[in-house]
Amino acid sequence: MPHLEELVKDVIEKRIAANAAHEAEITQLTKVIAGEQKEIENDYAKIGELYYKQNSDKTEGELGEMVAKVNESNKKIKDSKMKIGTLMGYTFCETCGEQVDEDDLYCNNCGAKMPVKVLPGMELCPHCNKAVRAGIRFCTNCGKPMQEEEKPKVKECPSCGFTTEDLDMVFCEKCNRRLVMEGGDPEEETVEVEKQPTHKVCPACGFKIFDAETMFCEKCNRRLVEEGSEEAAE
């Protein structure tokens, strides 16, 4: 018994003669099948293209391998087109493909930043991004210094905002708060509390003395304790 798919395939490909009574209808049906199969192939292509656009950065797994192959093919196509433009003596934007002047910093069409060609003995200005001769102090295009001047270190008061370049200064001239390096976290101020002297007292006879080194009572020889402690209260 023939399988349905095999039977239809033979009818379409091998043109097997059909019963004369149904030949016209079968021919019409085969046209429907061929048309729908073509639509499916187009939809498959659109689905694949949509998936790629949404997942062009995902190159893991079975689908990821196909995405990576498409990425590589697109890169080769793009590089080849750019090479053709170069050989023809033109410069084009790699993002949108519009022609740009060789010295343009940005594409006039899409605004993309243009790669700057830095030849040997040249360097880029940090301000205008133009390639200029290496070793010069000021850019010949914008006039600004090629080397950024290092800002002097400053100490600031976290309380009142006072600033000074005197790094040896410790306390603020206005509010006497401890200074910190500009942008740094305020240091915790440690206030040393002077320990007040306490009386020593004899829990037996009540003798008192300020001498912290004296351990025993001069009257009854009982061990002295600090006044106010539990031992003194007993």
Side-chain angles (χ1 to χ4, degrees), residues 153-223:
K153 294 182 179 180
V154 176
K155 273 189 169 183
E156 63 180 357
C157 175
S159 179
C160 69
F162 167 80
T163 60
T164 178
E165 294 183 10
D166 184 0
L167 302 185
D168 293 329
M169 186 179 293
V170 179
F171 298 99
C172 175
E173 293 180 348
K174 294 183 178 181
C175 65
N176 207 36
R177 180 80 181 273
R178 180 180 290 275
L179 299 174
V180 298
M181 294 303 296
E182 187 177 27
D185 295 328
E187 299 176 2
E188 293 184 2
E189 296 184 9
T190 54
V191 180
E192 294 185 2
V193 180
E194 184 180 355
K195 189 175 181 181
Q196 298 296 327
T198 57
H199 287 90
K200 275 193 171 184
V201 62
C202 174
C205 68
F207 170 77
K208 293 183 179 182
I209 191 171
F210 280 104
D211 186 1
E213 295 180 359
T214 301
M215 303 296 294
F216 296 94
C217 176
E218 294 179 357
K219 293 183 177 181
C220 64
N221 207 35
R222 180 77 180 271
R223 178 179 288 276

Side-chain angles (χ1 to χ4, degrees), residues 9 26 38 50 81 85-86 92-93 99 120 123 145-146 152 169-170 199 205 209 211 215 229:
K9 184 178 180 180
I26 291 175
K38 186 65 176 178
L50 179 62
K81 289 180 178 179
T86 302
F92 296 94
C93 172
Q99 184 181 352
E123 62 180 325
M146 292 295 292
M169 186 179 293
V170 179
H199 287 90
C205 68
I209 191 171
D211 186 1
M215 303 296 294
S229 67

Side-chain angles (χ1 to χ4, degrees), residues 73-152:
S73 295
N74 280 333
K75 184 179 184 303
K76 290 180 180 179
I77 291 171
K78 181 179 180 180
D79 291 345
S80 297
K81 289 180 178 179
M82 295 297 294
K83 184 66 174 179
I84 291 174
T86 302
L87 295 174
M88 294 294 291
Y90 298 104
T91 302
F92 296 94
C93 172
E94 295 186 7
T95 302
C96 69
E98 284 294 317
Q99 184 181 352
V100 294
D101 291 335
E102 189 174 355
D103 294 334
D104 284 346
L105 298 178
Y106 298 92
C107 173
N108 292 325
N109 181 59
C110 69
K113 189 175 182 179
M114 295 293 99
V116 180
K117 297 178 182 178
V118 183
L119 300 176
M122 307 287 284
E123 62 180 325
L124 293 180
C125 171
H127 304 285
C128 67
N129 204 41
K130 279 282 188 178
V132 295
R133 182 167 52 86
I136 60 176
R137 293 184 59 191
F138 298 92
C139 175
T140 53
N141 181 63
C142 68
K144 295 183 179 180
M146 292 295 292
Q147 299 294 332
E148 293 284 355
E149 296 182 3
E150 187 176 353
K151 294 176 62 177

